[in-house]
Every structure is written in structure tokens, then in C-alpha cells.
Amino acid sequence: VQLQASGGGLVQPGGSLRLSCKASGSIFNINDMGWYRQAPGGQRELVATITSGHSTNYDGSVRGRFTISRDNAEYTVYLQMNSLKPEDTAVYYCNALVSTQFAAPPRDYWGHGTQVTVSS
């Protein structure tokens, strides 16, 4: 199973970006999907998660500015980021809890990360 993230870049404060992450490979079912980020010198932290039933959870620092969504048929998760701040600068990683066959326990998979830089 591979996760391919895209959509990062350089944006000015107050701007917007949309991240995408598509899972591919031997997939039977995807449970939770999510986005995490790691700033320079910091630890990887949760940004937002979404269940297969589209229930969402956000870190308090992004609630109201970021929106996570997913397309189950396309095995893709999105992160719409609005009103971006310099403190949102980080490498963003997508995550998926994937079962590769019927009755197999799900396991975590990670994408390689995409850089988001918010600067004037």
C-alpha cells in the first residue's frame, strides 16, 4: 500500500492550500484517514482525522480553518486549509488505517510528506 500526497507549496499568510493524498495498492478496506504535520525541530502532531463514515476530528489550532474530507471510492483524503498562518508551516503527512484483505487486522500506512510554507 502506498500513499501519495500532493498540493503543498508556498503561500502568503491568510492564503489557502488544498492537500490531497491517494492510497493505492492491495486495499480491501480503509478505516480512518488523517493528516499530521511536523514543524522544524518539532514532533509529528495530529492535524485532523476522518472515519470511513465521514466523522471528523480536528486539533484545536486548526479547527474552523481546515476541513478534512475523503472520497471512499477513490481512496483519497483531502485537507482544505484556509486562513493559513506562519505557524502552520510544516511537512504534512497523510495517514491511513488499511486492511489489505478480509478479516486481516488493519495497520497504519504513511505518505512521504508534502511541505507547506506560510510566509510573506
Side-chain angles (χ1 to χ4, degrees):
V1 176
Q2 298 83 38
L3 299 182
Q4 182 65 49
S6 61
L10 173 64
V11 64
Q12 292 186 342
S16 298
L17 282 175
R18 189 189 194 213
L19 306 183
S20 300
C21 177
K22 184 175 178 62
S24 61
S26 180
I27 297 171
F28 175 77
N29 183 61
I30 302 181
N31 299 327
D32 292 0
M33 302 185 82
W35 290 94
Y36 293 72
R37 66 187 180 186
Q38 186 167 12
Q43 294 186 339
R44 192 173 297 188
E45 60 183 20
L46 179 144
V47 176
T49 60
I50 184 168
T51 69
S52 58
H54 301 276
S55 294
T56 58
N57 178 58
Y58 296 93
D59 180 76
S61 67
V62 307
R63 189 175 294 117
R65 299 188 297 122
F66 291 9
T67 302
I68 189 170
S69 60
R70 65 189 281 175
D71 183 332
N72 288 337
E74 295 295 326
Y75 299 143
T76 300
V77 62
Y78 305 96
L79 186 68
Q80 177 66 44
M81 304 185 293
N82 298 330
S83 303
L84 281 160
K85 304 175 181 180
E87 51 263 44
D88 295 317
T89 295
V91 177
Y92 284 69
Y93 298 89
C94 58
N95 169 269
L97 191 61
V98 181
S99 297
T100 56
Q101 58 184 323
F102 177 73
R107 55 157 287 191
D108 272 323
Y109 291 87
W110 292 89
H112 289 294
T114 184
Q115 176 70 46
V116 172
T117 303
V118 185
S119 175
S120 55

